[in-house]
Amino acid sequence: MILRLALGTAEESVQALRERLESAGLRVLRSPEEARPILAVAGKVPEKLAAELRTRAEVAEIVKPSGELLLVARAMRELPSVVDVGGVRIGGGDVVVIAGPCSVEGRELVLEVARKVKDCGAHLLRGGAFKPRTSPYAFQGFGVEGLRQLKDAGEAVGLPVVSEIMDASDLPAFLEHGIDCLQIGARNMQNFTLLKAVARANRPVLLKRGLAATAEEWLYAAEYLFEGGCEQVILCERGIRTFEKATRNTLDLTVLPLLREWSHVPVIVDPAHAAGIARIIPPLARASIAAGADGVAVEVHLNPEEARSDAAQALLPRELLGIVSDARILAAVTGRRLHP
Amino acid sequence: MILRLALGTAEESVQALRERLESAGLRVLRSPEEARPILAVAGKVPEKLAAELRTRAEVAEIVKPSGELLLVARAMRELPSVVDVGGVRIGGGDVVVIAGPCSVEGRELVLEVARKVKDCGAHLLRGGAFKPRTSPYAFQGFGVEGLRQLKDAGEAVGLPVVSEIMDASDLPAFLEHGIDCLQIGARNMQNFTLLKAVARANRPVLLKRGLAATAEEWLYAAEYLFEGGCEQVILCERGIRTFEKATRNTLDLTVLPLLREWSHVPVIVDPAHAAGIARIIPPLARASIAAGADGVAVEVHLNPEEARSDAAQALLPRELLGIVSDARILAAVTGRRLHP
Amino acid sequence: MILRLALGTAEESVQALRERLESAGLRVLRSPEEARPILAVAGKVPEKLAAELRTRAEVAEIVKPSGELLLVARAMRELPSVVDVGGVRIGGGDVVVIAGPCSVEGRELVLEVARKVKDCGAHLLRGGAFKPRTSPYAFQGFGVEGLRQLKDAGEAVGLPVVSEIMDASDLPAFLEHGIDCLQIGARNMQNFTLLKAVARANRPVLLKRGLAATAEEWLYAAEYLFEGGCEQVILCERGIRTFEKATRNTLDLTVLPLLREWSHVPVIVDPAHAAGIARIIPPLARASIAAGADGVAVEVHLNPEEARSDAAQALLPRELLGIVSDARILAAVTGRRLHP
Amino acid sequence: MILRLALGTAEESVQALRERLESAGLRVLRSPEEARPILAVAGKVPEKLAAELRTRAEVAEIVKPSGELLLVARAMRELPSVVDVGGVRIGGGDVVVIAGPCSVEGRELVLEVARKVKDCGAHLLRGGAFKPRTSPYAFQGFGVEGLRQLKDAGEAVGLPVVSEIMDASDLPAFLEHGIDCLQIGARNMQNFTLLKAVARANRPVLLKRGLAATAEEWLYAAEYLFEGGCEQVILCERGIRTFEKATRNTLDLTVLPLLREWSHVPVIVDPAHAAGIARIIPPLARASIAAGADGVAVEVHLNPEEARSDAAQALLPRELLGIVSDARILAAVTGRRLHP
């Protein structure tokens, strides 16, 4: 249950209400909204207490979200939330493009890609240092050294960086090397241990949707992050697993407008992992932004055929340029703007 | 195997080649292209004959499409095909909007909706007279009387009409009442009897994708239409069945750019049956056109809550107006135009 | 709503009740049960009438099935229904094995297979004369001539025959040639035209589940048959479409015990179309009967590698012998018996 | 590539071959088979070296498994592998029943359930101490205290215990409390960090299939365990996510016989998480063993309606008794035996 209090409710009234609820054995969590205090109540509110709440003057509105999706619920915020990743604002009307190599494959290479990414007008540099691979014999990434190379490249060209974290024990390395945004991969979306650890790091988190996760389960994973103390979450749709074999996965844009209603959390789209084929990524990137996404994330490689992972879906810099250009137009068409 | 002959190959050479192939027991079908003769060869071409074909001067290019997708293959046409439905051109750079009631529910009602549809700038009037319903006890449509009402409404406002045919024995009624475009519904996509019968009618056909049909199976259904003599086919994506329960189906826009590569047949999108919720249709319509669709089809009702079928996904006229307006902009952004 | 009347309710009371309901604009259908009259009421029963029904002495029990699944509902019968196909009883504790070639490929061949099928102890001979094929260029079956060959083979060895009907216009040929059981294929499960036509034929019908049909939709398809006058329906699970690509489809045995609760209609399993690989069919046939299926249907070929369709999943006669033997044991283990 | 050497190949020849391969930059892993040395070669073997291998006298057979599925491949063992969990043998012809509460909910309760489980003839006691829950507000298990209670109950009645590990940092507690078998849950199937950590513990591992994992990905997860040093792996099918909503998941028994061909690793089935409804579990357990499973795992509760998790799918002790009894018969019918 979410209690939206009256604008300007005095802090002591908020505390009194909070104590009233906690004395009934309920857990109370609070939105960071300042002008209007908003409380989320976890657990089942007894009918008698619910009736009392309906009569309290300071309770302006009672919202019952689906299940226990509380902190991510749209009603917890006055406006959709905006996540600041190293100065780049995601959500709230700004559309962003995230680009970079699938995996960091060497200091020179990542720097060169970073320059192109910056030149093309993208806003964040992505790159994998720890790679989740289906086979134990596949290239597993450069690890910490990859993080260092990615961050150095990002700093050299002036772009914040995002990289996937697979293990809570790597968190100190991510923080030490100043990785601006921690990505939770699709396979780890319900790795609750990792979610709880990452939540405590106080860094922006990019949470990919699991390969067969419902939108509701995905939001629950985000709820774990918020409940653990992280207020800076970005969702990333990347295609779901269906019977269709022509493409690697099926991009679920259908659920995008629903996420807007259910949650205040920004949502970007990674069309590359859905498509699995570079040449069909540009129209899917356009579709994503037209459907309302707050941005797109793509993979770029200077020589895609030499990439050590996901070669088939890496774009050339000139294709990235087209995506940024399209994003600018489609952001405008949908009443937003490309992040400057 | 598809044989693209040299531009201006003499008709007698085409015939000679054709006879050579037929004498080997192969079936030969021909594209309607005039300047460049193009032949599709069904069946397995023996290696010796294939070698001979590679040396023949009149054979400019040999294309091996996936499986036996021949007549729908991109290589069968110089340009993507354009279907003319009562003067409205679908495909070839023209984007269209199809709208109307889910089912025809009475002469006055359908006329009133038709007027709104026309006023909003849509190009074709849709409406169901024969309704495929999961339950035998559900409203099954007005039948032939519905066709008459739909056509009369279309003529009154100047819009060609499209309606679903479920049974080959109803074909005379569809032709008699001048239904401009015959729709094959998702459940009938592999009703081969119906496909063969409709193919002979020499009318434009709107072929919806089956609920769990792969893109390849869908194209094979279109191949049945072409093989049966119908050259005027429009594909209609309407969402596929996945594990996600938040929406009725999942719109598969991922496959759209692939269809462009594989086939010359125009593709439109029906976002309403995927979404199942009216208020999320507009962003999905935008996404569809941004992904390259040649048009969108939606349901309109003056009082959605009173609709006898699919009430939850019917749009109000003002929402249709927004979709037409968006379609105009997105067509332009993607280098096309809204059909005038 | 289903009204189970008191045992031995007088016929005139039944008629009076029926008229009471029909006078309220409701449609009333009746179970063939004789000792206990059972009425199905289609449409929404007004609360006032429902209250009246609860007080009527002759109404022993009111059952509300899911949606409008009426005639197929378990509550419509005292015992699970038994379908008699040419003397072979399906359901009610008798387990059957159906076997034969995927398609009828010639008089000698089908006769030879029929002899083997009979020798192995199977109960029904199956064989396709009209084949639904994804590609228009694939072998489409021998048509009416195939029906004749199949029936002749069945008569020669003393087995009733089952064959797929794809088109209502072929119905006279199926009846004329004495096809004992009409199969509706997976692709036609929601071909309502075909369902309605077949229902009127007064023959046993084998209704395959659609590739992506929910159990509920499948039962609604059976409801169409019952509503159209056919009381002899057998359901056939044949695998559903999932993301798993190692097998052709995924056999849904999970839903089998639920079907037992929801419906009185017998259910058999076709493990061959799910598996798509002959050598894994025997364990799946065992699993099907262990899960409670009333029988299994498989394909047999004397030289599988020469079969004109579905070669990969055809069993050799000795493999069929093993399946019949397993079926005998598993029927006994689950408190039933192999049909004698 | 898998090299099956000649029976009785001298150890020095094995070493020489190994060095030859490693000198070519390939990684070589060895099967624990003693009589016949078997080597798995990870990485791409150059054609020249492959040719040499084909001529070497000590190489009896070269097997190319799918992708890089090496250590789990059937060819790596002479016989299917058998896993010993505290004296209970899983695989190799012995069928087992695993049972216990979904979550450990208190010392008395788990002891009481353990006694019933033992009395019913089950072989292993299962119980969750760390519970992966979709919502952060749901009961997350008793943690280490739960492990202690579970192990104490197991010891009191003489049953080895299995419990789910969600986090590598909990591993010392699992080892200290003598948990006999470590379960990796469906959501963690591709938590590679956890797989690597657990592999090093030298304990039997029960690896559940991910909700949308293909059989191939599942085997790759097992390959991670073997590659990390764990030779004692049991796979556990628990239903996959499909469009069907009548059951919680769809049990994929279709893939079971294929796993037998591809791999030597034993496979058990958890029908409860697929069904989600207690009363349909017994037929599904029967089907699982009939399909060839090496055992089944179910949840038992004395008062299912009071269970703190998964209440709907918990069995009563008398239902467990039926499952053990069925397992005994079905093991015999399929040429195996219930573990004594």
Side-chain angles (χ1 to χ4, degrees):
Chain A
M1 178 183 282
I2 293 171
L3 304 176
R4 294 169 58 86
L5 306 193
L7 276 168
T9 300
E11 193 56 28
E12 58 213 28
S13 300
V14 179
Q15 287 313 320
L17 179 59
R18 192 164 187 156
E19 280 159 26
R20 174 71 188 92
L21 293 159
E22 287 171 347
S23 71
L26 297 163
R27 183 162 169 213
V28 182
L29 303 112
R30 186 165 176 180
S31 156
E33 292 288 338
E34 292 185 0
R36 179 194 299 283
I38 307 177
L39 301 180
V41 186
K44 195 169 161 34
V45 179
E47 182 41 42
K48 204 173 159 189
L49 177 52
E52 176 193 324
L53 292 171
R54 285 192 291 272
T55 63
R56 281 198 172 227
E58 71 272 33
V59 177
E61 191 186 0
I62 297 180
V63 178
K64 291 193 186 160
S66 166
E68 293 195 294
L69 289 171
L70 298 172
L71 300 174
V72 299
R74 185 64 192 82
M76 286 300 282
R77 302 287 172 97
E78 296 288 86
L79 294 173
S81 61
V82 177
V83 179
D84 184 311
V85 179
V88 174
R89 289 164 49 90
I90 302 180
D94 272 21
V95 168
V96 298
V97 176
I98 302 176
C102 175
S103 46
V104 175
E105 299 178 0
R107 184 161 288 277
E108 311 308 313
L109 270 172
V110 68
L111 182 58
E112 208 176 343
V113 172
R115 275 202 199 98
K116 297 285 189 187
V117 162
K118 174 73 177 182
D119 289 352
C120 290
H123 308 93
L124 284 170
L125 179 66
R126 51 146 294 151
F130 297 89
K131 302 295 302 173
R133 301 305 295 272
T134 300
S135 163
Y137 309 112
F139 173 59
Q140 311 260 326
F142 279 4
V144 175
E145 177 56 27
L147 293 182
R148 186 174 298 123
Q149 294 176 6
L150 179 71
K151 182 61 184 178
D152 287 354
E155 289 195 331
V157 304
L159 290 179
V161 299
V162 51
S163 197
E164 178 169 350
I165 180 164
M166 289 174 61
D167 189 348
S169 70
D170 296 325
L171 194 50
F174 277 76
L175 300 182
E176 185 194 334
H177 290 93
I179 303 305
D180 302 277
C181 180
L182 308 173
Q183 178 178 316
I184 307 269
R187 290 174 186 78
N188 279 320
M189 191 202 84
Q190 288 191 316
N191 179 340
F192 301 119
T193 296
L194 184 61
L195 292 174
K196 288 174 185 173
V198 165
R200 285 189 295 270
N202 202 22
R203 285 280 163 95
V205 178
L206 185 72
L207 178 67
K208 287 203 154 188
R209 182 180 185 178
L211 283 86
T214 62
E216 194 187 39
E217 290 167 336
W218 187 19
L219 285 174
Y220 268 117
E223 184 81 19
Y224 264 95
L225 291 169
F226 279 90
E227 190 266 348
C230 175
E231 297 277 352
Q232 303 162 280
V233 179
I234 307 149
L235 299 171
C236 181
E237 158 67 24
R238 42 80 71 211
I240 57 172
R241 200 158 259 193
T242 71
F243 65 84
E244 175 58 76
K245 292 181 281 272
T247 50
R248 187 164 159 179
N249 291 289
T250 300
L251 207 57
D252 182 7
L253 298 182
T254 320
V255 101
L256 224 65
L258 277 187
L259 288 173
R260 290 277 176 250
E261 296 187 2
W262 294 351
S263 177
H264 58 81
V265 180
V267 188
I268 67 166
V269 174
D270 167 359
H273 281 83
I277 308 168
R279 65 182 187 270
I280 67 170
I281 292 172
L284 298 179
R286 285 195 287 272
S288 301
I289 298 174
D294 295 298
V296 291
V298 294
E299 294 175 2
V300 173
H301 205 279
L302 302 182
N303 297 294
E305 65 282 2
E306 288 173 16
R308 295 188 67 171
S309 54
D310 284 346
Q313 68 196 42
L315 299 173
L316 290 167
R318 64 176 161 75
E319 293 168 317
L320 173 61
L321 195 63
I323 283 177
V324 174
S325 164
D326 287 347
R328 186 185 313 276
I329 296 169
L330 287 160
V333 164
T334 51
R336 299 172 297 167
R337 63 161 190 178
L338 189 71
H339 184 81
Chain B
M1 179 182 281
I2 293 171
L3 304 176
R4 293 168 60 86
L5 306 192
L7 276 168
T9 301
E11 194 55 29
E12 59 212 30
S13 300
V14 179
Q15 287 311 320
L17 179 59
R18 193 165 185 154
E19 282 160 24
R20 173 71 187 95
L21 292 159
E22 287 170 347
S23 71
L26 297 164
R27 183 163 170 213
V28 182
L29 303 113
R30 186 165 177 180
S31 156
E33 292 287 337
E34 293 185 359
R36 178 194 298 285
I38 307 177
L39 301 179
V41 186
K44 195 170 160 33
V45 179
E47 181 42 40
K48 205 173 158 187
L49 177 52
E52 176 192 324
L53 292 171
R54 284 193 292 272
T55 64
R56 281 199 171 226
E58 71 271 35
V59 177
E61 189 186 2
I62 298 180
V63 178
K64 292 194 183 158
S66 166
E68 292 195 296
L69 290 172
L70 298 172
L71 300 174
V72 298
R74 184 63 191 83
M76 286 299 283
R77 301 288 172 95
E78 297 288 86
L79 293 173
S81 60
V82 177
V83 179
D84 184 310
V85 180
V88 173
R89 289 164 48 92
I90 303 182
D94 270 22
V95 169
V96 299
V97 176
I98 302 175
C102 175
S103 44
V104 175
E105 299 178 359
R107 184 161 288 277
E108 309 308 313
L109 268 171
V110 68
L111 181 58
E112 206 176 345
V113 172
R115 278 205 196 95
K116 295 287 187 185
V117 163
K118 174 75 176 180
D119 289 351
C120 291
H123 308 92
L124 285 169
L125 178 66
R126 53 146 293 154
F130 297 88
K131 302 296 302 172
R133 301 305 295 271
T134 300
S135 164
Y137 309 113
F139 172 60
Q140 311 259 326
F142 278 6
V144 174
E145 178 55 27
L147 293 181
R148 187 175 298 123
Q149 293 177 4
L150 178 70
K151 182 62 182 176
D152 287 353
E155 289 195 330
V157 304
L159 290 179
V161 299
V162 51
S163 196
E164 177 168 351
I165 179 164
M166 289 174 61
D167 190 348
S169 69
D170 295 326
L171 194 50
F174 277 76
L175 300 182
E176 184 194 335
H177 289 93
I179 304 304
D180 302 275
C181 180
L182 308 173
Q183 178 178 316
I184 307 268
R187 290 174 188 78
N188 278 320
M189 191 201 83
Q190 289 192 315
N191 180 340
F192 302 119
T193 296
L194 184 62
L195 292 173
K196 289 173 185 174
V198 166
R200 286 188 294 270
N202 201 21
R203 283 282 162 94
V205 178
L206 185 72
L207 177 65
K208 288 205 153 188
R209 181 181 187 177
L211 284 85
T214 62
E216 194 186 39
E217 290 167 337
W218 187 19
L219 286 175
Y220 268 117
E223 184 81 19
Y224 264 95
L225 291 170
F226 279 91
E227 191 265 348
C230 174
E231 298 276 352
Q232 302 162 280
V233 179
I234 307 148
L235 299 171
C236 180
E237 157 68 24
R238 42 80 70 211
I240 57 173
R241 200 158 260 193
T242 71
F243 65 83
E244 176 59 75
K245 294 181 281 272
T247 50
R248 187 164 159 180
N249 291 290
T250 300
L251 207 58
D252 183 8
L253 299 181
T254 321
V255 101
L256 223 65
L258 277 187
L259 288 172
R260 290 277 177 247
E261 296 186 3
W262 295 350
S263 178
H264 58 80
V265 181
V267 188
I268 68 165
V269 175
D270 166 359
H273 282 82
I277 308 168
R279 66 183 187 270
I280 67 169
I281 293 172
L284 298 178
R286 285 194 289 271
S288 301
I289 298 173
D294 295 300
V296 291
V298 295
E299 294 175 2
V300 173
H301 204 280
L302 302 182
N303 298 293
E305 65 282 2
E306 288 173 14
R308 295 187 67 170
S309 54
D310 285 345
Q313 67 195 43
L315 299 172
L316 290 168
R318 64 175 161 76
E319 293 167 317
L320 173 61
L321 195 62
I323 283 176
V324 174
S325 164
D326 288 346
R328 186 185 314 274
I329 296 169
L330 287 160
V333 164
T334 51
R336 299 173 296 167
R337 63 164 189 177
L338 189 71
H339 184 81
Chain C
M1 178 183 283
I2 293 171
L3 304 176
R4 294 169 58 86
L5 306 193
L7 276 168
T9 300
E11 194 55 28
E12 59 213 27
S13 299
V14 179
Q15 288 312 321
L17 179 58
R18 193 164 186 156
E19 282 160 25
R20 174 72 186 91
L21 292 160
E22 288 171 345
S23 72
L26 298 164
R27 183 162 168 212
V28 183
L29 304 112
R30 186 165 177 180
S31 156
E33 292 288 338
E34 293 185 358
R36 179 194 299 285
I38 307 177
L39 301 179
V41 186
K44 193 166 160 39
V45 179
E47 182 41 41
K48 203 172 159 189
L49 177 52
E52 175 193 325
L53 293 171
R54 285 192 292 271
T55 64
R56 280 199 171 224
E58 71 272 34
V59 177
E61 190 186 0
I62 297 179
V63 178
K64 291 193 185 159
S66 166
E68 291 195 296
L69 289 172
L70 298 171
L71 300 174
V72 298
R74 184 65 191 83
M76 286 301 283
R77 302 287 171 96
E78 297 289 87
L79 293 173
S81 62
V82 176
V83 179
D84 184 309
V85 180
V88 174
R89 288 164 48 90
I90 302 180
D94 271 22
V95 169
V96 299
V97 176
I98 302 174
C102 176
S103 46
V104 175
E105 299 177 359
R107 183 162 289 277
E108 310 308 313
L109 268 171
V110 68
L111 181 57
E112 207 177 343
V113 172
R115 278 205 195 96
K116 296 286 188 186
V117 163
K118 174 74 176 182
D119 289 351
C120 290
H123 308 93
L124 284 170
L125 179 67
R126 52 146 294 153
F130 297 89
K131 303 294 302 172
R133 301 306 295 272
T134 300
S135 164
Y137 309 112
F139 173 60
Q140 311 259 325
F142 279 5
V144 174
E145 177 56 28
L147 292 181
R148 187 175 297 122
Q149 293 176 5
L150 178 72
K151 182 62 183 177
D152 287 352
E155 289 195 330
V157 304
L159 290 179
V161 299
V162 52
S163 197
E164 178 168 351
I165 180 165
M166 289 174 61
D167 190 347
S169 71
D170 295 325
L171 195 50
F174 276 76
L175 300 182
E176 184 195 333
H177 289 93
I179 303 304
D180 302 276
C181 181
L182 308 174
Q183 178 179 314
I184 307 268
R187 289 175 188 77
N188 278 320
M189 191 201 84
Q190 289 192 316
N191 180 339
F192 301 120
T193 296
L194 184 62
L195 292 174
K196 288 175 186 173
V198 165
R200 285 188 295 269
N202 201 23
R203 283 281 162 95
V205 178
L206 185 71
L207 178 66
K208 288 204 155 189
R209 181 180 186 178
L211 284 87
T214 62
E216 194 186 38
E217 290 167 336
W218 188 18
L219 286 174
Y220 268 117
E223 184 81 21
Y224 264 94
L225 291 169
F226 279 90
E227 191 266 348
C230 174
E231 296 277 352
Q232 303 162 278
V233 179
I234 307 149
L235 299 172
C236 181
E237 158 67 24
R238 42 80 71 212
I240 56 171
R241 200 157 259 193
T242 71
F243 65 83
E244 176 59 75
K245 293 180 281 271
T247 50
R248 187 163 158 180
N249 290 290
T250 299
L251 208 57
D252 183 7
L253 299 181
T254 320
V255 100
L256 224 64
L258 277 187
L259 288 173
R260 290 276 176 250
E261 296 186 2
W262 294 350
S263 177
H264 58 80
V265 180
V267 188
I268 67 165
V269 175
D270 167 358
H273 282 83
I277 308 169
R279 64 181 189 271
I280 67 169
I281 293 171
L284 297 179
R286 286 195 287 273
S288 301
I289 298 174
D294 294 299
V296 290
V298 294
E299 294 175 3
V300 173
H301 204 280
L302 303 181
N303 299 293
E305 64 284 1
E306 289 173 15
R308 295 187 67 170
S309 54
D310 283 346
Q313 68 196 42
L315 299 173
L316 289 168
R318 65 176 160 74
E319 293 168 317
L320 173 61
L321 195 62
I323 282 176
V324 174
S325 165
D326 287 348
R328 186 184 314 274
I329 296 169
L330 287 161
V333 164
T334 51
R336 299 172 297 166
R337 63 162 190 178
L338 189 70
H339 184 80
Chain D
M1 179 183 282
I2 292 172
L3 304 176
R4 294 169 57 88
L5 306 193
L7 276 168
T9 301
E11 193 56 28
E12 57 213 30
S13 300
V14 179
Q15 288 312 319
L17 179 59
R18 194 165 184 155
E19 281 159 24
R20 174 72 187 92
L21 292 159
E22 287 170 346
S23 71
L26 297 163
R27 181 161 170 214
V28 183
L29 303 112
R30 186 164 176 181
S31 156
E33 291 288 337
E34 292 185 359
R36 179 195 299 283
I38 306 177
L39 301 180
V41 186
K44 195 170 159 35
V45 179
E47 182 41 42
K48 203 173 158 189
L49 177 51
E52 176 193 324
L53 292 171
R54 285 193 290 272
T55 64
R56 281 200 172 225
E58 70 271 34
V59 177
E61 190 186 1
I62 297 180
V63 178
K64 291 194 185 158
S66 165
E68 292 194 295
L69 289 172
L70 298 172
L71 300 174
V72 299
R74 185 64 192 83
M76 286 300 283
R77 301 289 171 95
E78 296 289 86
L79 294 173
S81 62
V82 176
V83 179
D84 183 311
V85 179
V88 173
R89 288 163 50 89
I90 303 180
D94 271 22
V95 168
V96 299
V97 176
I98 302 175
C102 175
S103 45
V104 175
E105 299 178 359
R107 184 161 289 276
E108 310 307 314
L109 269 172
V110 68
L111 182 58
E112 208 175 345
V113 172
R115 276 204 197 97
K116 295 287 188 185
V117 163
K118 174 73 176 182
D119 288 351
C120 291
H123 307 93
L124 284 170
L125 179 66
R126 54 147 292 152
F130 297 88
K131 302 296 302 172
R133 301 305 295 273
T134 299
S135 163
Y137 309 112
F139 172 59
Q140 310 260 328
F142 279 5
V144 175
E145 178 54 28
L147 293 181
R148 187 175 296 125
Q149 293 176 5
L150 178 72
K151 181 62 183 178
D152 287 352
E155 288 195 330
V157 304
L159 289 179
V161 298
V162 51
S163 196
E164 177 169 351
I165 180 165
M166 288 173 62
D167 189 347
S169 71
D170 295 325
L171 193 51
F174 277 76
L175 300 182
E176 184 194 334
H177 289 94
I179 303 306
D180 301 277
C181 181
L182 307 174
Q183 178 179 316
I184 307 268
R187 289 175 187 78
N188 279 318
M189 190 202 84
Q190 288 192 315
N191 179 339
F192 301 119
T193 296
L194 184 62
L195 292 173
K196 288 174 185 173
V198 165
R200 285 189 295 269
N202 202 22
R203 284 282 163 95
V205 177
L206 186 72
L207 178 66
K208 288 204 154 188
R209 182 181 187 176
L211 284 87
T214 62
E216 193 187 40
E217 290 168 336
W218 188 18
L219 285 174
Y220 268 117
E223 184 81 20
Y224 264 95
L225 291 170
F226 278 91
E227 191 265 347
C230 174
E231 296 277 352
Q232 304 162 279
V233 178
I234 307 148
L235 298 171
C236 181
E237 158 68 24
R238 42 80 71 211
I240 57 172
R241 200 158 260 194
T242 71
F243 64 83
E244 174 60 74
K245 294 181 280 273
T247 50
R248 186 163 157 180
N249 291 289
T250 300
L251 207 57
D252 182 7
L253 298 181
T254 320
V255 101
L256 223 64
L258 277 187
L259 288 172
R260 289 279 177 247
E261 297 186 3
W262 294 350
S263 176
H264 58 81
V265 180
V267 188
I268 67 166
V269 174
D270 166 358
H273 282 82
I277 307 168
R279 65 183 188 269
I280 67 170
I281 292 172
L284 297 179
R286 284 195 290 272
S288 301
I289 298 174
D294 295 298
V296 290
V298 295
E299 294 175 2
V300 173
H301 204 281
L302 303 181
N303 299 294
E305 64 284 0
E306 288 173 15
R308 295 186 67 172
S309 54
D310 284 345
Q313 67 196 43
L315 300 172
L316 289 168
R318 65 177 161 74
E319 292 167 317
L320 174 60
L321 195 63
I323 283 176
V324 174
S325 164
D326 288 347
R328 186 184 314 275
I329 296 169
L330 288 160
V333 164
T334 52
R336 299 173 297 166
R337 63 164 189 176
L338 188 70
H339 184 79

